[in-house]
Amino acid sequence: MATDRGESVRHWHCLDSEAVAAHLDSDPDVGLTAEAAKSRLGRVGPNTLYEAGRRHPLAMLASQFTDFMILVLIAAAVIAGFIGEPQDTIAIVVIVFLNGIIGFVQEYRAERAMAALKKMASPQARVIRDGHPALIDATELVPGDLVELEAGNIVPADLRLIELASLKVDESALTGESQPVDKRLVPLHETDLPLGDRLNLAYKGTIATYGRARGLVVATGMQTELGKIAALLSGESGKTPLQKRLARFGQSLALVVLAICAIIFVAGWLRGEPPLTMLLTAVSLAVAAIPEALPAVVTISLALGAARMVKQNALIRRLPAVETLGSVTTICSDKTGTLTQNRMQVDCVLAGGETRPGLPGDESPLWHELGLAMALCNDAVASGDGKLSGDPTETALLEAAQAAGFSKQEWQVTLPRLAELPFDSDRARMSTLHREGEAVLLLVKGAPEGVLALCADQLGVGETVAIDQAALHDEAERLAAQGLRVLAFALKRLPDLPATLDAATLESDLTFIGLAGLIDPPRPEAAESVAACKAAGIIPVMITGDHPATARAIAHRLGIIDDGGKVLTGGRLARLSLAEFEREVESVRVYARINPEQKIKIVQALQDKGEFVAMTGDGVNDAPALKMADIGVAMGKGGTDVAREAAAMTLLDDNFATIVHAVREGRRIFDNIRKFVKYTMTSNSGEIWTIFLAPFLGLPIPLLPIHILWINLVTDGLPGLALAGERAERDVMQRPPRPPKESIFAHGMWQHILWVGLLMGGVSLLTQAWAIHVGTAHWQSMVFTVLTLSQLGHVLAIRSERESLFTLGALSNVPLAGALLLTFILQMAVLYVPWLNPIFRTAPLSAGELAMCLGLSSVVFVGVEIEKALVRRGWLYASP
């Protein structure tokens, strides 16, 4: 079949119009017949984007409850219910359900990325069928259809253009090209050209901004370049660093705790303790030791961070994204609209051998003529409020002319336009003719190589001089090497308006005026943000579909690369083997002319090298890499819906500097989660050592199940949650990123949990032994109180990894101070409120006994403060 042959073609840009039509069995003049279109639609399917293997929402929700730690917690909840502790059952079920809902929302949002892609499809398309124009639903397009385009249309499918009149297409969302692309008809000869260089093709989802064209549909639906991106988005996202660490932590912890509880049960039973009492003790200890509050604390920490980030113009779409950004080692950033302003601007002008940063406002004839040419040989228009509209290059030229005092509206009255020779890609220039008294002024604007060849002389300072074309070509090349788009301007004065507007005749013997260099300028704050990333140990990498010279110029201005920095193009990347690219990827900081698949390849290569990668971007072409990266950061104002849905975080102000704030916030949040893990695991370690060692020291079981559950509730509750609001460490942005494979227990954390837990258990057992020795009947209440208050002292001491509490200030975290006060009051109520004594099996302590408890429980606080002093001096937990 014809369409089968057509589908086998991979390089439509290399074929001429007749060959394309033959492959598609279509007529370039009358299009397909209605019957042929209907038949093909049945074979190839509708021109839509779809997802494969879509999961039902209920299946997504159910999958959230299969994690090992979650299953252990559910089992603990069931056992707690059986032994008469419904409050623990309810608490665990609520936390597990909350965790599952969050995971479900994170997975469900991936489907919205596909919905956003679908919205980009043109709802209707103008086709020629049976030789007659028709307006049809774009979903009914098939390969071989003849489609008409005009300015403002969204391209409804991938087209091989066969007719055009000055067509320009905005492909920035797909290729990253910062300006509309001038389309051409001639076949191209290189098969592996990047998308942005296939000038005779128009792609689904891009926008025609100027001119008109006809094209034959060569791909529809998922076979289009947009469809290939949709297929790339259908893969699964990897887990965040935090999720990976907590998954490993939870599984290991659960196994260890269950083993210890089994040992305690067997040891107590062998000592003659009642089996039911030991079973209740073991189960209670398991419920207490497994930090079921950890998911809630993590969620609250990230939610608080997300709330703070919204105030800084960053919208968090996935809560773990904030913490992940604090872990990244490399930020791969799109250029257009992310590091640059996504608008063209005149960077310099050259005339009479002089280069200036902008068009001067003086009245010298040379600059006056250049200003007129920039303003009048221009189709951009200014609205009543001064806002310019039109082609980005032309609006930039008009903006520069107006800034120098050349009002287009005023000069149009003095020099009204009589006629024009519109821009076309073959001539690569445009010309306008204006009435100048009795004569006619011809103004020409275009590519330097085309305009200079037509010039016989040039304007000098006050006179016309001989032209040095070689020198002017060198100047144009010098500006282009700086990443500028260079335009040349020329003029010619005619006695009257010719009867026939012939370009070959009119655009000859011109007088050269000057050059203008344009660029999409960097954002003012981007260079500072790049420097801040480097100071934080994060490597910035630019990935763009734009020209290599432009990419190099912007990267150099921003400080991403120096003068000798390497720029790798998509064409060269395609020729590198995997091993060669793995060696290159660590040294390359700028990639140019990159297609979507290559962006993913770069991100994956960096990840294979052990890097945690953030990808910023705003276009459809960025969406797969945004999803593949450890964290995707989309632009909210100038970005596409596809990019925002695929990303984990959206910058509401499109400001690269906001990422630096997010990095700081992410590091602060991870530090605080570490502090909570350190706090709760040390507390649980203290409880386990207390109960585990007592029988081996000849002491009775020091705590009852109700005591363990109470300690777990009041100490892991409000005080632990209040750690989420702790301020950032002072050196948070001066230290390098955490190594991607670093354990959450690194930097002395597991040692701290072990020795402080032993200290806590030792102080509790010392209290028990002393109270029994002196014959007090309240020994169990004293152990209960010392263990509780020791944990409160511990949380005060670990507010900072290094700084002393006396440096931080006791009231610098007001929520924590309030939580500690409330917990202390609750503990005193358990001891001194009569009706609570039988529930908790406690008795009121005398003043001396309470003083003894307060003194012994402060030992842990003092010990941790000594530990931090040793850390500050580099004597403990020093990095190798």
Side-chain angles (χ1 to χ4, degrees):
M1 288 184 174
T3 51
D4 291 334
R5 294 199 312 270
E7 289 166 6
S8 68
V9 176
R10 293 292 180 267
H11 308 297
W12 295 104
H13 59 283
C14 297
L15 304 179
D16 58 28
S17 302
E18 292 75 15
V20 171
H23 272 288
L24 295 169
D25 196 12
S26 181
D27 190 313
D29 296 316
V30 300
L32 296 175
T33 64
E35 292 75 11
K38 183 177 180 180
S39 174
R40 294 186 187 188
L41 184 63
R43 289 199 303 273
V44 303
N47 178 30
T48 57
L49 306 180
Y50 61 91
E51 310 99 310
R54 185 171 176 177
R55 298 177 66 196
H56 192 279
L58 290 178
M60 290 186 208
L61 183 62
S63 69
Q64 307 305 316
F65 302 98
T66 58
D67 181 78
F68 180 78
M69 185 175 179
I70 296 298
L71 293 176
V72 172
L73 289 174
I74 292 174
V78 172
I79 295 173
F82 274 118
I83 65 173
E85 300 295 343
Q87 68 273 22
D88 288 283
T89 299
I90 295 172
I92 295 171
V93 168
V94 168
I95 291 170
V96 167
F97 182 73
L98 176 63
N99 195 57
I101 290 296
I102 293 172
F104 167 74
V105 171
Q106 292 173 0
E107 186 171 345
Y108 186 73
R109 52 178 290 282
E111 305 212 358
R112 296 179 60 192
M114 191 62 64
L117 273 173
K118 290 181 178 179
K119 290 179 183 178
M120 293 193 65
S122 176
Q124 290 186 314
R126 183 172 295 278
V127 300
I128 306 296
R129 285 184 178 172
D130 293 315
H132 302 291
L135 195 64
I136 67 170
D137 193 311
T139 61
E140 298 176 9
L141 286 176
V142 294
D145 260 325
L146 180 60
V147 175
E148 292 186 328
L149 289 178
E150 60 183 23
N153 289 162
I154 298 176
V155 180
D158 283 3
L159 308 177
R160 171 58 165 93
L161 301 172
I162 60 173
E163 295 179 27
L164 58 79
S166 304
L167 180 68
K168 295 185 179 183
V169 179
D170 179 1
E171 297 180 344
S172 60
L174 185 65
T175 66
E177 186 72 44
S178 58
Q179 53 195 337
V181 178
D182 298 311
K183 292 299 181 177
R184 302 183 182 181
L185 297 179
V186 295
L188 304 171
H189 303 296
E190 294 184 44
T191 59
D192 59 348
L193 284 175
L195 297 184
D197 291 338
R198 300 177 189 179
L199 300 179
N200 52 26
L201 296 177
Y203 301 109
K204 179 181 177 69
T206 60
I207 302 172
T209 61
Y210 188 87
R212 61 186 184 275
R214 279 188 174 187
L216 289 170
V217 175
V218 295
T220 60
M222 297 299 287
Q223 300 304 311
T224 63
E225 296 299 329
L226 189 66
K228 294 174 184 177
I229 292 177
L232 294 173
L233 283 172
S234 64
E236 293 190 8
S237 300
K239 289 186 176 182
T240 69
L242 182 64
Q243 289 170 325
K244 294 174 183 176
R245 290 184 178 100
L246 293 182
R248 292 193 298 266
F249 165 64
Q251 292 182 15
S252 302
L253 175 63
L255 292 173
V256 170
V257 167
L258 292 176
I260 291 175
C261 290
I263 294 172
I264 290 174
F265 171 76
V266 172
W269 188 16
L270 294 177
R271 287 184 70 249
E273 300 283 352
L276 181 59
T277 300
M278 291 310 304
L279 176 63
L280 293 176
T281 299
V283 170
S284 299
L285 189 61
V287 173
I290 297 176
E292 66 270 15
L294 182 58
V297 169
V298 171
T299 300
I300 290 171
S301 298
L302 298 176
L304 290 175
R308 289 162 65 105
M309 288 304 300
V310 167
K311 297 177 182 178
Q312 298 173 354
N313 293 310
L315 176 65
I316 306 304
R317 303 184 60 81
R318 289 170 49 210
L319 284 181
V322 181
E323 181 277 330
T324 310
L325 195 52
S327 306
V328 297
T329 58
T330 303
I331 296 179
C332 294
S333 174
D334 182 46
K335 176 183 72 68
T336 306
T338 307
L339 292 167
T340 65
Q341 300 177 30
N342 199 19
R343 68 177 186 86
M344 297 301 289
Q345 175 179 300
V346 173
D347 189 71
C348 66
V349 290
L350 182 148
E354 182 181 2
T355 302
R356 297 197 180 187
L359 188 65
D362 58 49
E363 290 298 319
S364 67
L366 179 60
W367 297 112
H368 180 78
E369 298 283 17
L370 182 58
L372 284 181
M374 290 170 62
L376 295 179
C377 189
N378 194 321
D379 289 330
V381 296
S383 60
D385 60 359
K387 186 176 181 180
L388 303 181
S389 60
D391 179 86
T393 299
E394 296 199 322
T395 58
L397 293 170
L398 181 55
E399 182 180 42
Q402 289 184 340
F406 294 89
S407 171
K408 183 174 182 178
Q409 292 178 333
E410 294 178 5
W411 281 106
Q412 280 177 327
V413 175
T414 307
L415 300 170
R417 183 184 292 193
L418 302 176
E420 66 180 277
L421 294 170
F423 176 90
D424 69 55
S425 55
D426 294 326
R427 288 166 43 244
R429 57 186 175 271
M430 71 174 288
S431 299
T432 56
L433 295 96
H434 304 264
R435 174 64 63 190
E436 188 180 43
E438 298 299 320
V440 173
L441 173 64
L442 173 72
L443 297 174
V444 181
K445 172 186 69 182
E449 59 271 19
V451 174
L452 285 170
L454 304 173
C455 293
D457 53 22
Q458 70 180 83
L459 287 180
V461 180
E463 59 180 346
T464 301
V465 299
I467 187 169
D468 186 346
Q469 291 198 4
L472 291 172
H473 272 296
D474 290 343
E475 287 292 337
E477 290 293 330
R478 180 181 63 83
L479 295 178
Q482 296 174 15
L484 302 179
R485 183 187 185 193
V486 185
L487 293 176
F489 295 86
L491 60 80
K492 181 179 182 181
R493 286 184 166 86
L494 307 170
D496 50 36
L497 183 68
T500 302
L501 298 179
D502 177 60
T505 303
L506 287 175
E507 295 174 341
S508 62
D509 295 323
L510 302 176
T511 298
F512 176 78
I513 307 173
L515 301 172
L518 300 95
I519 197 168
D520 179 10
R523 289 179 173 272
E525 68 284 346
E528 182 180 347
S529 302
V530 167
C533 286
K534 288 184 173 181
I538 300 170
I539 299 172
V541 173
M542 178 192 291
I543 303 178
T544 179
D546 220 334
H547 192 276
T550 303
R552 177 185 292 278
I554 295 296
H556 186 265
R557 293 188 186 196
L558 293 175
I560 294 176
I561 60 172
D562 53 25
D563 291 334
K566 185 184 299 183
V567 177
L568 186 64
T569 63
R572 182 163 178 266
L573 175 59
R575 293 190 293 271
L576 289 176
S577 69
L578 180 60
E580 290 170 334
F581 180 51
E582 291 281 356
R583 290 193 295 270
E584 293 271 1
V585 74
E586 292 185 296
S587 61
V588 179
R589 298 292 180 265
V590 179
Y591 297 86
R593 285 292 192 237
I594 297 296
N595 63 39
E597 292 84 354
Q598 289 176 325
K599 289 189 176 187
I600 292 181
K601 184 178 180 181
I602 294 167
V603 171
Q604 287 180 323
L606 287 168
Q607 290 173 330
D608 290 344
K609 286 292 186 178
E611 303 289 333
F612 265 95
V613 183
M615 172 71 189
T616 71
D618 59 355
V620 176
N621 62 315
D622 298 315
L626 290 174
K627 190 170 187 290
M628 176 64 66
D630 295 291
I631 176 172
V633 184
M635 302 296 113
K637 288 174 63 179
T640 61
D641 287 342
V642 180
R644 287 191 287 269
E645 294 294 342
M649 186 173 83
T650 299
L651 304 183
L652 301 179
D653 57 358
D654 288 14
N655 191 339
F656 186 80
T658 305
I659 298 174
V660 179
H661 300 307
V663 169
R664 178 183 177 86
E665 187 66 19
R667 293 185 177 189
R668 184 190 72 86
I669 285 174
F670 185 78
D671 284 349
N672 289 347
I673 292 173
R674 261 179 55 93
K675 290 169 188 175
F676 175 79
V677 173
K678 178 189 286 188
Y679 169 61
T680 190
M681 290 309 303
T682 304
S683 299
N684 295 349
S685 173
E687 295 166 25
I688 291 174
W689 285 121
T690 300
I691 296 177
F692 182 73
L693 294 177
F696 297 100
L697 298 175
L699 297 172
I701 297 298
L703 297 171
L704 297 175
I706 189 64
H707 297 153
I708 299 171
L709 295 174
W710 172 257
I711 294 173
N712 184 59
L713 177 65
V714 298
T715 61
D716 283 1
L718 292 177
L721 295 178
L723 282 173
E726 197 61 54
R727 296 177 182 177
E729 301 277 347
R730 287 194 295 184
D731 66 342
V732 71
M733 290 300 288
Q734 279 71 54
R735 64 194 190 208
R738 297 186 306 276
K741 296 182 180 180
E742 179 181 277
S743 167
I744 195 172
F745 294 100
H747 306 294
M749 186 166 156
W750 70 265
Q751 295 96 322
H752 175 95
I753 291 172
L754 182 62
W755 85 262
V756 177
L758 274 170
L759 178 62
M760 200 176 291
V763 170
S764 300
L765 292 174
L766 177 63
T767 303
Q768 180 184 14
W770 176 85
I772 292 175
H773 177 72
V774 299
T776 177
H778 305 152
W779 63 266
Q780 200 164 54
S781 295
M782 291 182 68
V783 174
F784 178 31
T785 302
V786 166
L787 191 53
T788 301
L789 298 184
S790 294
Q791 295 181 15
L792 300 187
H794 180 236
V795 76
L796 275 175
I798 64 165
R799 285 182 49 200
S800 171
E801 299 269 2
R802 299 168 57 88
E803 301 297 323
S804 169
L805 175 67
F806 305 105
T807 302
L808 296 174
L811 297 179
S812 56
N813 185 339
V814 175
L816 179 59
L820 291 176
L821 178 61
L822 178 60
T823 302
F824 181 79
I825 292 172
L826 290 174
Q827 180 63 26
M828 293 302 102
V830 168
L831 293 175
Y832 295 105
V833 175
W835 63 269
L836 290 176
N837 292 148
I839 297 177
F840 289 94
R841 314 286 178 83
T842 55
L845 301 179
S846 67
E849 290 170 339
L850 182 59
M852 176 66 72
C853 290
L854 292 173
L856 288 171
S857 60
S858 65
V859 170
V860 172
F861 172 80
V862 173
V864 177
E865 284 291 340
I866 294 173
E867 177 191 50
K868 290 193 296 183
L870 297 176
V871 170
R872 288 194 296 273
R873 287 167 175 78
W875 298 349
L876 198 61
Y877 312 142
S879 299

